[in-house]
Amino acid sequence: MQPPTDGRGPTALETASAALVAAALFAAFAAPWIGASVTAIPDAAAAGNAAWGADARLIVWILAWVAHALVAAPARLFDAPIFHPVPRMLTGSEHLATSVLVSGPVYALTGNPVLAANLAAMSTYVLAATAGYALVRALGLPRAAAAVAAVALMLGPFQVPADLHVLQYPLWPLALVLLAAVRIERGAHPLWLTAAATLAAFSSYYVAAMAAALCAIESALAWRTAGRRAVWRLVAGAAPAFVLLALASLPYVDTPGRRLDVRTIGAWSVAARWVWGRLLDPGSIELGFGWGLVALAGTGLLVPLVRRQRPALRWWRWLVLVVAGAALAAPFTMTIGGVELPAPSMLLAATPLRANTRWILLAQIGLAGLAAEGAAAMLGWLGARATPVVRLGAAALLVGLVLVPRARHLADQPLTKLPTGASVPAVYRWLAQHASGPLLEPPGPDVGTWLAQADSMVLGTTHWLPLLNGHTGFPPWTYAAMRPEFARLPDREALQTLVDLTGLRWVLVRRARVSAAHFDAWTTFARTSDAVEVVPAGDTDLLLRVRLEPRRPWAAALARVTTPPGETALGTPLARLDDRTVRGSVAALMAPRAPAARRASVAITLRNAGAETWPAMVPPHAVRPGAVQLVVRWRRADAAAVEHVRAIPRDLPPGDAVRFRITVDVPADPGPYMLEIGVRQEAGAAMSGVRAAQVPVEVVRGL
């Protein structure tokens, strides 16, 4: 169990052996997942978490789309066919390019997106163990200690039970970056770090940010121990990877798919506190570190004190990683000089990297290292006192202490079969052979339909038609225009508006996806309306060809990457309206009683009876003079009116009406109110010719 003496780490044969052992251990504990990998994924939705299950399907789709696009149309990689016609919709999520190195060849050979995603996810466990083992060996610890670190990195928080989400935060690229940095400090070529950092940077943006933090930490340590030259070598090795990432990330900058809604920051903060509470429980299956790892890491932390020796550099490295990871993940406020400041993780919640608790993976690396230190110290204490058999048994016991309590839960996630190959419904195979143009599968995208949208995306890998459906981390704000129309379907005017907005050509109504009443409504609509025709496609689902033609060029406007300052997203000039010709009305419907200091839903019908199109659809939170907005006022005889502004989902041409819902903040003081809802043009016409809605509402406490 002697450490390597040349500082280069384990031999290739030793590393390969470690990888084989890791693969065997993983296979032993994840056998159900492996056995079903051709057709099924670990599915949190089957355990009651629909949003998490939808994200797993999103990952299946991302890996398939990136592999498909890189072969079929590399220049259109980011124009993923969801939320049509909004461009660059891959920017609503990660591209997971590094994982495609594994999934891409599998998908190319088999055409099976489920198998490709499963194998990519499985590889992260084995690679994390292998990279962790090589790292700890390179830092001079014995094989048994390295094995402890390896299983710890394979089974950290967010990795048990097994789930495709591991592809969003794989640990192995981080361990590889740290290994390459250590080797550079000892004289290796900086290209090793360039390669490792590139793999990390293109794994996911979370891993890229953590890799940058690792490089910064390692540079600080190198400055103290190896001098300025070592730091420059580290910078020279890491910089090209992040320059490449910056260039590849240009489509993510100011595109419709990646806009942070500041209203979600509070929700992410609450979620972060819940996750943090689980992280502090070592026995938590999903989010804990494991009691065995914590005990060994505690032992490793005390080693310098027990030995009364100055801590080694690697010990400081582990400690810094634990502190940095915890600080970046902990959702607490800090008080400095009497001023309360948000913790770093709360600042991260205001960025696209809003799942801030994932930074705990840095602490996981540090804890794994400290656990290796503790294991090495305990085995060193045995030393010559024990026979080789006893030492081997002790090593196996320590590895098992970290491995077994968590690995036995690897396969706890329920498995759900997704249609692949011959099990894909016949209608999708028909579409692949005969159809072109945008497709909608009701219900359309909206809050609460994530799982249905993600299922549409996975099945869409059969035909790759542009989908109006979609599920992603950052949906486009422009889809506010479609949402009310989805809710009104099947309705001829709603369908016509969707054709105007998207160029919709196909509607697929699946019996298993909608209620029986909704399916019957579509069947009746198809039988009685000339707007659609039924296309026989070989199964019991209802496939409709849309026969309506666009009345307005809105789809072309939405297909632009950005909205010009002088126009709405639909291309209407943001010009001042002529008050003499502005005519219209607002109708509103809500419950006659509303709870005080809460939020209430109001159904709105807005009609334009004038001669000019009302420009309305502008980016959220943007000040765009000329935009028409709703003005909501609560009036009471003994109080000043409280005014709020709400967006109108789309432009409104003459003779048209738009129906949608808004939420309003109900006053805190009980009593009778008049809810008045009108319109105004920002820095434009008074629009006095539009009749406002007047709704009497009784505001009460405790409703």
Side-chain angles (χ1 to χ4, degrees):
M1 281 196 239
Q2 293 303 312
T5 57
D6 60 1
R8 295 182 183 274
T11 64
L13 179 60
E14 183 182 341
T15 303
S17 300
L20 288 174
V21 172
L25 289 173
F26 175 80
F29 287 98
W33 181 21
I34 295 171
S37 59
V38 174
T39 59
I41 62 169
D43 188 17
N49 191 339
W52 202 248
D55 285 348
R57 289 160 174 78
L58 170 62
I59 291 168
V60 173
W61 176 84
I62 289 172
L63 295 176
W65 166 251
V66 173
H68 169 79
L70 288 176
V71 174
R76 299 189 62 82
L77 171 65
F78 288 97
D79 291 325
I82 55 173
F83 292 108
H84 179 81
V86 182
R88 296 186 180 177
M89 276 316 303
L90 186 60
T91 64
S93 302
E94 301 273 14
H95 49 67
L96 306 177
T98 297
S99 296
V100 177
L101 294 175
V102 176
S103 68
V106 177
Y107 183 65
L109 290 171
T110 67
N112 186 333
V114 173
L115 176 63
N118 277 327
L119 292 182
M122 291 173 187
S123 72
T124 65
Y125 290 89
V126 177
L127 289 171
T130 305
Y133 180 89
L135 169 64
V136 173
R137 286 289 281 148
L139 289 171
L141 287 167
R143 293 187 181 92
V148 167
V151 297
L153 291 180
M154 185 168 66
L155 301 168
F158 306 111
Q159 294 166 296
V160 178
D163 194 282
L164 298 186
H165 283 81
V166 295
L167 291 168
Q168 293 182 315
Y169 34 77
L171 260 171
W172 67 267
L174 299 176
L176 208 59
V177 166
L178 201 51
L179 173 60
V182 168
R183 293 192 63 190
I184 284 179
E185 293 167 37
R186 296 174 179 177
H189 198 284
L191 283 177
W192 286 106
L193 181 56
T194 303
T198 301
L199 289 171
F202 285 85
S203 294
S204 76
Y205 283 95
Y206 288 97
V207 173
M210 286 185 269
L214 275 179
C215 290
I217 291 169
E218 202 59 32
S219 296
L221 293 173
W223 183 281
R224 297 279 302 184
T225 58
R228 186 179 303 174
R229 183 178 177 83
V231 174
W232 282 115
R233 285 168 58 80
L234 286 171
V235 172
F242 294 103
V243 170
L244 283 174
L245 180 65
L247 294 174
S249 300
L250 290 177
Y252 282 84
V253 179
D254 194 30
T255 64
R258 184 161 286 273
R259 294 184 182 274
L260 184 68
D261 185 350
V262 295
R263 293 173 298 179
T264 67
I265 294 174
W268 279 101
S269 300
V270 171
R273 288 185 173 89
W274 181 87
V275 172
W276 182 254
R278 298 297 183 92
L279 287 170
L280 292 180
D281 176 10
S284 170
I285 302 304
E286 298 89 352
L287 297 170
F289 296 99
W291 284 106
L293 175 63
V294 171
L296 283 176
T299 303
L301 188 66
L302 296 175
V303 164
L305 179 64
V306 172
R307 291 179 175 172
R308 298 181 182 181
Q309 294 176 348
R310 185 175 181 177
L313 173 63
R314 69 177 183 234
W315 184 91
W316 285 110
R317 180 182 284 109
W318 308 134
L319 183 61
V320 169
L321 287 172
V322 170
V323 173
L328 289 167
F332 303 120
T333 56
M334 302 177 292
T335 302
I336 300 177
V339 178
E340 189 174 72
L341 300 174
S345 67
M346 294 298 96
L347 298 176
L348 289 169
T351 74
L353 301 180
R354 55 194 181 184
N356 38 38
T357 49
R358 292 177 183 176
W359 286 82
I360 204 67
L361 297 181
L362 291 180
Q364 173 72 7
I365 298 174
L367 284 173
L370 286 174
E373 299 283 350
M378 296 172 70
L379 293 172
W381 177 80
L382 281 176
R385 301 186 184 95
T387 65
V389 173
V390 172
R391 291 199 299 271
L392 183 61
L397 179 64
L398 293 177
V399 171
L401 187 66
V402 177
L403 171 71
V404 175
R406 292 188 60 74
R408 66 192 183 93
H409 294 288
L410 256 178
D412 281 3
Q413 195 85 278
L415 294 167
T416 295
K417 287 187 176 182
L418 300 181
T420 58
S423 66
V424 172
V427 65
Y428 291 95
R429 298 197 293 274
W430 188 95
L431 287 168
Q433 295 174 2
H434 304 287
S436 62
L439 167 71
L440 169 66
E441 293 189 43
D446 202 357
V447 176
T449 68
W450 302 296
L451 194 61
Q453 306 310 311
D455 278 332
S456 289
M457 290 163 63
V458 172
L459 286 165
T461 63
T462 304
H463 52 68
W464 291 120
L465 295 179
L467 295 176
L468 272 61
N469 299 85
H471 167 70
T472 187
F474 293 84
W477 67 270
T478 51
Y479 247 56
M482 286 73 151
R483 204 167 286 131
E485 312 308 328
F486 292 144
R488 293 169 57 207
L489 291 174
D491 172 86
R492 185 188 179 93
E493 278 305 307
L495 188 65
Q496 179 66 69
T497 301
L498 287 174
V499 170
D500 293 345
L501 288 166
T502 68
L504 178 64
R505 296 263 59 84
W506 301 92
V507 177
L508 173 57
V509 189
R510 300 197 61 203
R511 286 184 182 274
R513 183 183 170 99
V514 299
S515 68
H518 196 57
F519 190 89
D520 290 343
W522 272 106
T523 303
T524 302
F525 180 72
R527 188 174 60 250
T528 58
S529 174
D530 63 353
V532 296
E533 67 172 306
V534 177
V535 178
D539 56 26
T540 59
D541 295 325
L542 184 63
L543 178 62
L544 305 174
R545 179 185 283 111
V546 179
R547 304 174 69 175
L548 301 174
E549 295 298 325
R551 299 171 302 183
R552 305 177 180 100
W554 285 348
L558 286 176
R560 300 176 299 188
V561 174
T562 57
T563 301
E567 297 180 4
T568 70
L570 299 180
T572 305
L574 287 163
R576 183 186 182 95
L577 298 173
D578 187 348
D579 250 329
R580 295 171 299 178
T581 61
V582 171
R583 297 289 183 273
S585 63
V586 183
L589 181 65
M590 72 172 292
R593 303 175 75 209
R598 303 284 288 277
R599 307 195 82 188
S601 177
V602 184
I604 302 291
T605 300
L606 181 60
R607 296 184 182 278
N608 178 2
E612 297 178 276
T613 296
W614 296 353
M617 193 175 174
V618 297
H621 315 300
V623 177
R624 293 287 178 94
V628 176
Q629 302 167 315
L630 281 185
V631 181
V632 180
R633 301 183 182 91
W634 289 94
R635 295 193 181 277
R636 198 168 78 167
D638 58 348
V642 179
E643 183 175 292
H644 305 278
V645 176
R646 292 289 184 272
I648 297 170
R650 64 171 172 85
D651 303 350
L652 198 58
D656 199 357
V658 59
R659 300 170 180 83
F660 58 102
R661 302 190 75 87
I662 63 171
T663 56
V664 295
D665 298 311
V666 180
D669 295 329
Y673 286 82
M674 183 65 71
L675 177 63
E676 179 184 282
I677 303 178
V679 294
R680 74 177 181 197
Q681 186 178 30
E682 180 74 23
M687 302 191 72
S688 55
V690 179
R691 186 175 70 253
Q694 304 278 343
V695 183
V697 179
E698 183 74 19
V699 175
V700 298
R701 293 195 188 279
L703 184 64

